[in-house]
Amino acid sequence: MDKKQYVDKAIHAYYERHGAVSERLVDAILYSVDGGGKRLRPLVLLDLLEDFGVTIEPGHYDVAAALEMIHTASLIHDDLPAMDNDDYRRGRLTNHKQFDEATAILAGDSLFLDPFGLMAEADLADSVKIKLIQALSQASGTFGMVAGQMLDMTAEHTQPSLVDLAAIHRHKTGCLLTYPFLAAGLLVEVSQDEQALLEEIGQLVGLAFQVRDDILDVTADFETLGKTPKKDVIAQKATYPSLLGLDQSYHILEDSLNQALALVEKLEAKQAKNFVKLRALLERLRLDG
């Protein structure tokens, strides 16, 4: 199996290990877990660990799986009628369309809460697990992704400043994309300087990913996206293209990736290692303007 399959196996194993109180709830949870997706966030974590020279262990897959569960929960809730009201995700019916709205809400609730149980059971040092759990909570909840979603909804039908837009996306998208970098540093137990470098790289990756997503929402079709295109335009959401135009958005994407690469060079010098997989990730995020 490849790393992506091991992440999926870790999620399934958690629910198999504990058994089901409600089969329907678990079915709804796994419907979204198994609905495709690149597993970008967990794979970034695992690839980073390999760049550091770490052999991937089951405990690492549990941390990666927990991160993917949080991300999947956010997608289920993001698609709900009260939020983005989307019928499709990753090319198939969204959770509330496949099941019903109440079931989708509860499946999302479970996927927000269960990851912390999974991480607590992971075969890792307790001192490291505490830091990993705290960092994931910070990235996910009131001070991270959920706050960003609130800011995003509040900004609909308004003309936010670039500062406001950056704050929305730094929290809504950036926090969960920064987490793999923070988690890798905690697992490897790097120095404070290296941890700060990893966090800054993660923030730049989060910015690049969001700008890229904003561009694709305007320029790509359903087959490419696997979800409804131009839905941000229809909802009058604040995006980089809507505020700055496509040309400037492409520039921000390229600039953030170039800044990240410069920081990778500093990290490589400190570690005396080549971060091949991290460099490859940054190059994959580029678009032809």
Side-chain angles (χ1 to χ4, degrees), residues 50-92:
E50 289 186 331
D51 272 344
F52 274 112
V54 172
T55 300
I56 306 299
E57 302 288 347
H60 301 139
Y61 283 114
D62 287 339
V63 177
L67 175 56
E68 184 63 21
M69 290 161 76
I70 295 280
H71 174 59
T72 302
S74 75
L75 300 182
I76 294 173
H77 281 184
D78 200 42
D79 290 332
L80 288 168
M83 295 187 65
D84 278 1
N85 193 23
D86 213 333
D87 293 344
Y88 292 94
R89 170 69 65 177
R90 295 168 174 169
R92 66 178 191 164

Side-chain angles (χ1 to χ4, degrees), residues 169-217:
H169 292 319
R170 182 170 65 251
H171 292 87
K172 182 180 179 183
T173 304
C175 285
L176 276 193
L177 277 164
T178 302
Y179 181 80
F181 294 84
L182 294 174
L186 292 171
L187 287 162
V188 178
E189 297 183 282
V190 299
S191 69
Q192 286 187 346
D193 286 347
E194 290 167 330
Q195 187 74 357
L197 266 178
L198 284 165
E199 182 174 6
E200 193 172 352
I201 294 168
Q203 289 169 348
L204 287 164
V205 169
L207 172 60
F209 185 86
Q210 182 60 58
V211 177
R212 185 181 193 274
D213 194 59
D214 284 354
I215 292 170
L216 288 174
D217 182 70

Side-chain angles (χ1 to χ4, degrees), residues 122-256:
D123 186 14
L124 297 168
D126 288 346
S127 59
V128 174
K129 286 194 288 190
I130 290 170
K131 292 176 182 177
L132 289 167
I133 289 169
Q134 189 276 335
L136 185 57
S137 172
Q138 192 85 8
S140 304
T142 308
F143 309 103
M145 178 193 64
V146 175
Q149 290 175 316
M150 188 74 249
L151 293 175
D152 187 36
M153 292 176 63
T154 304
E156 288 181 12
H157 309 291
T158 70
Q159 292 293 325
S161 68
L162 185 58
V163 172
D164 292 335
L165 182 61
I168 291 169
H169 292 319
R170 182 170 65 251
H171 292 87
K172 182 180 179 183
T173 304
C175 285
L176 276 193
L177 277 164
T178 302
Y179 181 80
F181 294 84
L182 294 174
L186 292 171
L187 287 162
V188 178
E189 297 183 282
V190 299
S191 69
Q192 286 187 346
D193 286 347
E194 290 167 330
Q195 187 74 357
L197 266 178
L198 284 165
E199 182 174 6
E200 193 172 352
I201 294 168
Q203 289 169 348
L204 287 164
V205 169
L207 172 60
F209 185 86
Q210 182 60 58
V211 177
R212 185 181 193 274
D213 194 59
D214 284 354
I215 292 170
L216 288 174
D217 182 70
V218 176
T219 61
D221 57 18
F222 177 86
E223 287 69 26
T224 302
L225 294 175
K227 59 183 179 180
T228 307
K230 297 182 175 61
K231 68 175 186 177
D232 291 342
V233 176
I234 295 166
Q236 297 182 27
K237 282 185 176 289
T239 67
Y240 283 91
S242 70
L243 195 63
L244 300 173
L246 277 174
D247 288 345
Q248 186 64 15
S249 298
Y250 279 114
H251 175 75
I252 292 173
L253 171 60
E254 285 296 305
D255 185 59
S256 61

